[in-house]
Amino acid sequence: MPSKSHYRVVILGSGPAGLTAAVYASRAELQPLVVEGGGGEDATDVPGGQLMLTTDVDNYPGFPEGVLGPELMERMRNQAARFGTEFASGELKKVVLSERPFQLSLDGASVTADTLIVATGARAKWLGLPEELEFRTKIGGVSACATCDGFFYKGKHVLVVGGGDTAMEEATFLSKFADKVTVVHRRQELRASKTMQTRARANPKIAWLFDSVIEKIHGGAGQGVVVACGGIFMAIGHTPNTAVFGGQLESDEQGYLLVHDGTSATSVPGVFAAGDVADHRYRQAITAAGSGCMAAIDAERFLSHH
């Protein structure tokens, strides 16, 4: 439960963006409250974000030997707590941004805020197979980020599920590491742009499996999905966690929050967005952390002028 009814800064989300914002806001003596998320029906929605379901993180600066995803998030959380950040578990149920201060309804509590940093992230779309969550935490399992995990699949045969631009980008990137990449698409025709299709089809490492769907994922040597493979990459898109805002913040067609003028400012003065909730291009821990820094600085400057 929050210790107060009003905060100068409330941060929604406890992934790299939210926790970096908390470090900066607490060091600026703004005494932020972080609403950690989790507690919903989605088993992958946990405090700490997507890295809590990731094993080895080798591309976050400062960890030359790599670091486990949950350990990295624990370190970030401890750093924010060291400077006085307060944490509240659970998810945001309702928010009113048309009045000042902003009104937030949490699990079992209500608070108001002068500024709000939205770092609720985005979740990858999955096929809904029961084995997906189990294999997400394993190297040689299921991933939704070729940039994050492609390095671990050197010399392997991997599958990419999807038929849009994302799938073409993932397949092309993975071909730098894997011996073979098979694109699995449920239709005969791809949805990707002609340019992306042409590039992927010209790649000798990329094979195609049309009119096909994955029905079950098996583990163990010599087994696989449709064909034996060393890993599966889901490339069927992401969904930003913005439903709770109910059209109160300007967003694009996919629901990603729009920020303006090279800052983290949204369409509502005093509300800032950071991380994957506003970033459908990069979706990396390091870019999320950087935008969390921006949001905290933007919030501090907003407060100093109002």
Side-chain angles (χ1 to χ4, degrees):
M1 295 285 290
S3 65
K4 301 184 297 185
S5 61
H6 178 75
Y7 294 83
R8 300 189 73 191
V9 180
V10 171
I11 301 167
L12 304 176
S14 56
L19 293 181
T20 302
V23 169
Y24 275 79
S26 56
R27 280 175 53 83
E29 299 185 344
L30 296 177
Q31 299 178 318
L33 171 70
V34 171
V35 180
E36 295 190 271
E41 297 180 358
D42 186 352
T44 66
D45 178 19
V46 296
Q50 297 298 301
L51 285 183
M52 295 298 292
L53 301 173
T54 303
T55 50
D56 297 282
V57 178
D58 277 342
N59 57 3
Y60 199 89
F63 295 90
E65 305 302 325
V67 61
L68 295 177
E71 180 186 351
L72 178 60
M73 299 320 301
E74 181 182 12
R75 285 172 174 251
M76 287 188 179
R77 191 183 191 279
N78 291 341
Q79 187 174 4
R82 173 189 167 202
F83 296 113
T85 296
E86 184 179 340
F87 294 89
S89 60
E91 61 181 343
L92 176 69
K93 298 296 186 181
K94 182 181 179 181
V95 60
V96 178
L97 302 179
S98 58
E99 303 176 9
R100 291 190 177 281
F102 304 129
Q103 302 172 25
L104 298 90
S105 298
L106 314 177
D107 284 327
S110 296
V111 298
T112 57
D114 293 324
T115 59
L116 188 65
I117 295 176
V118 182
T120 48
R123 60 187 182 277
K125 295 179 181 178
W126 301 90
L127 298 178
L129 301 176
E131 312 90 56
E132 282 178 316
L133 183 59
E134 173 190 354
F135 281 98
R136 279 191 63 182
T137 59
K138 299 177 180 178
I139 299 299
V142 180
S143 173
C145 180
T147 305
C148 309
D149 300 329
F151 181 83
F152 299 115
Y153 293 85
K154 285 186 174 181
K156 296 184 180 295
H157 175 203
V158 300
L159 305 185
V160 171
V161 181
D165 281 355
T166 298
M168 300 304 102
E169 290 175 357
E170 299 277 273
T172 301
F173 181 84
L174 287 167
S175 69
K176 299 176 182 179
F177 306 99
D179 277 352
K180 181 180 179 182
V181 180
T182 298
V183 175
V184 182
H185 186 44
R186 60 182 176 176
R187 299 186 178 92
Q188 182 63 38
E189 299 294 329
L190 297 170
R191 295 179 291 105
S193 64
K194 293 299 182 182
T195 300
M196 296 299 296
Q197 287 190 46
T198 300
R199 183 184 304 169
R201 289 182 182 276
N203 191 319
K205 284 190 174 183
I206 298 178
W208 308 88
L209 195 59
F210 293 112
D211 292 324
S212 301
V213 295
I214 293 178
E215 295 182 344
K216 187 173 180 61
I217 301 172
H218 302 275
Q223 299 184 22
V225 183
V226 181
V227 293
C229 66
I232 309 167
F233 286 80
M234 301 301 175
I236 51 180
H238 291 74
T239 302
N241 298 318
T242 54
V244 70
F245 300 103
Q248 298 182 79
L249 295 172
E250 185 180 359
S251 62
D252 66 12
E253 295 179 353
Q254 296 175 292
Y256 288 93
L257 298 184
L258 297 178
V259 293
H260 303 282
D261 303 321
T263 72
S264 65
T266 69
S267 56
V268 174
V271 179
F272 307 91
D276 290 9
V277 75
D279 174 21
H280 57 80
R281 183 179 181 88
Y282 300 106
R283 292 195 295 264
Q284 299 298 302
I286 187 64
T287 52
S291 66
C293 163
M294 293 168 58
I297 292 175
D298 288 340
E300 192 277 331
R301 290 176 178 173
F302 179 89
L303 289 169
S304 69
H305 286 86
H306 297 79

